[in-house]
Amino acid sequence: MLLTMVLMEIRERKRQKALEAERQAAIARGEEPQAEKMVRVPVDDECCGRHAVCERESLLSSKPEIVYYDDEELDRLSGISPEDYTEKDLADVQEVFYTLQDKDVAGWLRSLQLREITLPQDLLDEALMIVSERRFERSKAAAN
């Protein structure tokens, strides 16, 4: 089970890199890149059980709705590389991330993707680990 989750995360990272390469190519061609359509799907804390993978834990969704997590100030980072973030920018991103509840991390990542805000790699790795752990715990609980 853990191996499957690790492989899913690796696949997702490869997909994200491919999407970013495609986005950069579109920019180089002078085209307007399209934001990936990912949003938070509102569901209760407990999964309804109607889906193979709980939508709350998914990083993908088909609705282009942006959900804010009291982080509107991060919109100024849209389209900026994390390497170009100032100390204040980094502090603002960290403050939002470290005040999120674990159950909100996947939705926040979808929100950032829609807003074209890129997390620094260390925070992204930590966020993906939280999402992965929640998926594992949920699947473990479902198996019992």
Side-chain angles (χ1 to χ4, degrees), residues 20-65:
E20 181 61 23
E22 185 178 310
R23 181 179 171 277
Q24 293 297 330
I27 291 171
R29 291 189 305 267
E31 299 172 4
E32 182 70 26
Q34 294 185 3
E36 185 152 337
K37 306 302 181 200
M38 297 183 201
V39 297
R40 180 171 191 259
V41 178
V43 294
D44 294 331
D45 282 346
E46 298 301 318
C47 186
C48 65
R50 292 183 290 170
H51 309 96
V53 176
C54 183
E55 291 179 2
R56 182 174 193 84
E57 301 302 322
S58 177
L59 297 176
L60 302 173
S61 181
S62 61
K63 298 177 185 173
E65 175 187 337

